[in-house]
Amino acid sequence: MLAAAGLVMARMVGAQGGNPERAPEIRTLLLQPPARAGARAQRPIPPLDAAAIAELQRARGFRDTGLYDRGRAVLTELLAKTPHHPLVLDELAGLYLEQESWRSIETLARAERAATRDSLLLAPELVHALEQQKHHREAAQVALEAWTASPGEWEWAGPALDRLAGFDPRAVRELVRRAVERRPRRFDLLRAAARLEYRHGAPTDAIELLSRADQVPGISLRWAFADELLQSSVTRDSLGAIASLVNLAGDDRRELRDRLLGARRAWQLHGRRGTQAAGAAQVAQALRNVPSERWDRDVLLPVVRALRQGGQTGQARELIGGLGGEPGAVPEVALERALNELREGPPERALAGLETLALTLPEATFYLAEGRFFAGHVDSALAAYQRIATTPQGTYTGAALERIYLIEDGTPKEALPLFGRLAYERWRGEAKRAVVLAESLYRSLPHTPLWAVAALELSALQDGLGDPKAALEPLLAVAETSSQDRLASLARQRAGDLYRLRLKDDAKALEQYEECLARYPKAWNAPEVRRQVEILRRERRF
């Protein structure tokens, strides 16, 4: 029997264009018989008398020992005495299944189902037989009829439809859509239709299908669909879940509570994926007709911040401005207003508001220092950075210390305001403007630590703009000419990283890493450089 299955599988693989990747799928299909959970019928099954039960057991014994002809004879005789009885038919279908006699199953099932007008009778067996004969549309129709007649049949009919849609997606999707149109309150069928549209059609069609029916109070169909998609770890499915939740958030037919829950969940998923920039625009658009004061505050503020960071300051201002009240009433809201102003510029415009907020918010203290640095007020910025640095474990202490080193060690001092402007353009996301400033500083400054900082900034910007070769020049210049170990060792490491990760030249990467360790064996970044050397030697056996 397995040999016969192998021949059928070989033919099916050939029918798929000789694609061996389909072989495991087809093998699973062939070796999985339909669910044998007992006889099925739409009406109560009448009991058999003792003699009939004995005959049924005798036929089963013949089947178990491979005496199929004798078993079939017993069952045929028993059917003559008890016409259309589901228990007898179930046993006869099981015998045909073991023989892989697909045509016999089809003939038996069609005749009996027509005679009894019973959509459940022999349904799994007929679906299996039709599937083996590649009658995929007919098989889907039978599975759908059974599921429609009894919702409990979804346990086998649902997977069967999913599988059959892989062979004839258009036909199966059309059948399920028609079933849903005839029974709009059958949400189990509706979810099946959405799943088929999502897997084999267009995800937007699946969500639209759910949206049209999603008017009943309580758990949203789109929320449940998103949960189902999130059970897989596939990127496409997580994006589909987000789209479903955003669609729910934008549906003004639903209660506001449901819309806000959809927006919150979508935003959380964007946070896990690191796609807050796109997510902020989606959530803002979905809740565009919901006043800002009715949003969840822990969604509104990060959305406003992401919009501002993405350059959509107008939309951010509109959202934050909708909260009303005095700017200082809610410090976090006032901070977002100030940061929005800081990004739009000029930086001086936001300083007064940040100075007020710095009295209560540590984050505002850091942005006050940044705003002063951006505006070229170097000395007052230094004082603010120094206040931040007095908190060793503070969120912004590291960033403040970097600015302090730059300002205190930077010569010539006259160049520091330009570094503030460079930092400002980088913070605003204006990479091209920042490159112009960094290039000017790199070409014009004497070779001091400040020049090395400009070189590293220029390199990072050029790499970010997709030009790793241009990014190498300032790094190698610093590595060869700088007398400051901290920046020279960092330049060597970054040059090695560019060779390895961006230019795919492991030999030159190893050369840079080894030179870094030879010149600066006790540098702060030596442990990480040493680890990279070990990885390269192990991978490439240099």
Side-chain angles (χ1 to χ4, degrees):
M1 189 171 300
L2 289 177
L7 290 174
V8 176
M9 185 183 74
R11 288 197 294 270
M12 293 183 73
V13 172
Q16 294 297 325
N19 183 1
E21 294 180 358
R22 292 297 308 276
E25 175 186 341
I26 296 169
R27 186 182 299 110
T28 300
L29 179 148
L30 282 166
L31 299 183
Q32 277 190 330
R36 303 290 295 159
R40 288 172 165 81
Q42 288 181 262
R43 291 169 286 278
I45 298 176
L48 293 172
D49 59 29
I53 291 174
E55 287 296 286
L56 194 63
Q57 290 174 341
R58 190 161 72 95
R60 189 168 299 154
F62 285 138
R63 180 179 60 124
D64 292 342
T65 55
L67 300 174
Y68 299 122
D69 290 342
R70 297 182 65 178
R72 184 168 58 253
V74 171
L75 292 170
T76 301
E77 185 177 345
L78 187 54
L79 270 178
K81 299 175 183 177
T82 57
H84 315 304
H85 200 286
L87 293 175
V88 182
L89 291 171
D90 181 71
E91 183 59 34
L92 183 56
L95 185 149
Y96 287 145
L97 278 172
E98 288 204 10
Q99 289 185 292
E100 298 181 358
S101 182
W102 316 126
R103 287 289 298 169
S104 299
I105 295 173
E106 181 184 358
T107 301
L108 173 69
R110 288 191 184 282
E112 295 293 335
R113 286 163 59 86
T116 60
R117 296 184 179 180
D118 191 328
S119 297
L120 300 187
L121 189 65
L122 300 178
E125 293 79 5
L126 178 55
V127 168
H128 191 65
L130 291 170
E131 186 176 356
Q132 302 311 309
Q133 297 174 84
K134 298 184 176 61
H135 301 159
H136 301 118
R137 189 184 188 284
E138 295 173 70
Q141 181 67 56
V142 173
L144 191 56
E145 287 174 358
W147 189 355
T148 302
S150 175
E153 298 298 302
W154 70 268
E155 291 188 3
W156 68 268
L161 288 170
D162 287 341
R163 187 175 63 249
L164 291 164
F167 293 98
D168 194 346
R170 179 176 296 180
V172 176
R173 285 159 48 211
E174 181 61 29
L175 287 171
V176 179
R177 276 199 300 265
R178 289 179 183 174
V180 169
E181 290 170 1
R182 290 192 294 268
R183 300 165 185 82
R185 310 310 294 172
R186 281 289 300 272
F187 296 131
D188 55 339
L189 295 175
L190 181 65
R191 287 194 297 269
R195 184 168 56 249
L196 290 172
E197 291 292 342
Y198 183 81
R199 300 294 182 201
H200 304 287
T204 52
D205 290 344
I207 295 170
E208 179 60 28
L209 185 66
L210 292 169
S211 176
R212 288 198 298 268
D214 206 359
Q215 302 178 36
V216 179
I219 296 178
S220 165
L221 294 171
R222 282 164 288 181
W223 182 283
F225 185 62
D227 272 346
E228 181 180 342
L229 291 177
L230 290 172
Q231 291 176 11
S232 80
S233 57
V234 179
T235 299
R236 178 179 184 269
D237 287 354
S238 66
L239 291 174
I242 290 173
S244 186
L245 292 165
V246 169
N247 187 272
L248 170 62
D251 189 349
D252 54 14
R253 298 171 305 169
R254 300 287 302 191
E255 293 183 2
L256 179 60
R257 178 183 63 87
D258 295 338
R259 295 180 64 187
L260 294 177
L261 284 173
R264 175 192 287 271
R265 188 82 182 280
W267 179 250
Q268 289 171 344
L269 294 174
H270 273 298
R272 293 176 194 172
R273 290 179 49 80
T275 53
Q276 291 93 329
Q282 290 177 6
V283 171
Q285 175 65 18
L287 298 180
R288 64 192 179 279
N289 58 353
V290 178
S292 303
E293 60 269 20
R294 304 194 68 182
W295 284 40
D296 291 338
R297 189 60 54 83
D298 53 356
V299 173
L300 175 63
L301 291 177
V303 164
V304 168
R305 177 162 294 192
L307 288 171
R308 185 245 307 157
Q309 292 172 344
Q312 301 178 63
T313 52
Q315 195 170 9
R317 188 191 317 107
E318 182 180 345
L319 279 176
I320 209 73
L323 292 178
E326 292 298 322
V330 180
E332 292 79 7
V333 172
L335 176 60
E336 285 304 323
R337 286 197 182 100
L339 292 177
N340 210 49
E341 289 183 354
L342 181 62
R343 194 188 191 287
E344 288 188 322
E348 294 85 352
R349 177 182 167 194
L351 294 182
L354 289 170
E355 286 173 357
T356 301
L357 291 166
L359 299 174
T360 56
L361 289 178
E363 185 177 8
T365 304
F366 174 72
Y367 281 109
L368 172 61
E370 290 283 88
R372 288 172 175 173
F373 185 56
F374 296 160
H377 305 164
V378 178
D379 292 337
S380 58
L382 176 62
Y385 288 129
Q386 288 171 336
R387 287 200 302 274
I388 297 166
T390 59
T391 305
Q393 304 301 322
T395 303
Y396 300 99
T397 301
L401 287 172
E402 284 293 324
R403 295 288 196 224
I404 290 170
Y405 297 150
L406 175 67
I407 294 171
E408 290 184 339
D409 297 344
T411 53
K413 296 295 184 183
E414 296 78 12
L416 287 174
L418 276 179
F419 274 90
R421 188 69 191 185
L422 168 59
Y424 181 52
E425 298 298 348
R426 286 200 70 177
W427 181 73
R428 298 174 71 199
E430 298 288 348
K432 292 183 179 180
R433 293 182 182 178
V435 164
V436 172
L437 290 167
E439 181 85 25
S440 174
L441 288 165
Y442 172 66
R443 301 296 178 191
S444 61
L445 286 174
H447 288 188
T448 63
L450 205 56
W451 166 80
V453 172
L456 267 62
E457 289 282 341
L458 177 60
S459 173
L461 287 163
Q462 287 171 325
D463 184 37
L465 290 174
D467 193 350
K469 290 184 178 179
L472 270 175
E473 182 206 332
L475 291 178
L476 296 177
V478 172
E480 294 297 333
T481 61
S482 178
S483 60
Q484 191 179 52
D485 290 0
R486 186 175 72 89
L487 295 180
S489 64
L490 179 60
R492 287 281 182 194
Q493 180 186 358
R494 289 188 180 178
D497 292 344
L498 280 175
Y499 275 124
R500 185 183 183 202
L501 301 175
R502 305 281 281 138
L503 300 174
K504 309 301 180 184
D505 191 334
D506 287 353
K508 288 186 178 179
L510 183 63
E511 180 183 325
Q512 291 298 320
Y513 292 145
E514 288 180 334
E515 187 67 20
C516 180
L517 293 175
R519 293 193 184 194
Y520 315 107
K522 296 183 180 180
W524 63 276
N525 60 333
E528 174 59 23
V529 174
R530 193 170 291 110
R531 190 177 72 87
Q532 294 298 327
V533 169
E534 291 171 356
I535 291 173
L536 279 174
R537 286 175 175 169
R538 184 168 59 250
E539 290 180 350
R540 305 299 297 269
R541 298 181 182 177
F542 283 115

